[in-house]
Amino acid sequence: MYAGIHHVSLLVTNLKESLYFYEGILGFKQNKKRPQFDFPGVWYDIGDTQLHLIVHPEGKARRNTKEIDSRDGHFAIRVTDMDKLLKTLDAHNVPYVNKPTNKTEWHQVFVSDPDGNLIEFNV
């Protein structure tokens, strides 16, 4: 009955900072098919899934911290080259929690975006 997750939406407060993080550092590519909503934002294609950033100053879903806690609410993105990701994060001085061995079958790396949204990368 379910085919997969279509998109994940994240609330952001400063679109310029978010664009730098997601495009300038992580290298995500924008999906230009985003309609002209009455609020700012951007869509990214990540494999068969999309990430939607929505500027919504009154939103309540933020964690109110940039602390990286792997048990806190997050979403995960599968990567094909963990070494490249780690080198990219290091080159941009992005803090992360690296869990190459853990109770899962995959190498996990956790980062926080400028608004405190927690992201897991795994391979």
Side-chain angles (χ1 to χ4, degrees):
M1 182 164 88
Y2 305 106
I5 294 176
H6 180 267
H7 73 269
V8 172
S9 291
L10 299 178
L11 300 179
V12 299
T13 55
N14 184 318
L15 190 57
K16 186 176 179 179
E17 267 188 356
S18 295
L19 291 173
Y20 176 73
F21 180 77
Y22 287 98
E23 295 176 26
I25 296 175
L26 297 179
F28 288 6
K29 302 296 182 210
Q30 282 191 34
N31 176 320
K32 300 295 186 181
K33 295 180 182 176
R34 181 183 184 270
Q36 292 298 317
F37 293 113
D38 61 353
F39 55 88
V42 65
W43 290 359
Y44 295 110
D45 290 321
I46 305 170
D48 293 332
T49 304
Q50 292 179 352
L51 173 62
H52 295 181
L53 303 183
I54 299 172
V55 179
H56 185 40
E58 293 81 32
K60 304 285 189 222
R62 288 184 203 88
R63 298 171 54 236
N64 293 323
T65 182
K66 292 182 185 177
E67 178 184 337
I68 301 171
D69 178 353
S70 63
R71 294 184 304 158
D72 208 340
H74 65 276
F75 69 101
I77 297 174
R78 183 72 77 182
V79 299
T80 57
D81 189 337
M82 186 61 80
D83 290 333
K84 183 176 180 181
L85 173 68
L86 292 173
K87 286 177 185 173
T88 297
L89 297 175
D90 288 338
H92 293 279
N93 297 311
V94 175
Y96 58 87
V97 171
N98 189 9
K99 295 185 171 188
T101 56
N102 56 75
K103 294 188 183 220
T104 69
E105 300 174 3
W106 49 88
H107 181 166
Q108 298 171 304
V109 172
F110 291 85
V111 303
S112 173
D113 80 357
D115 283 284
N117 295 300
L118 192 63
I119 307 166
E120 171 188 337
F121 294 95
N122 63 50
V123 64

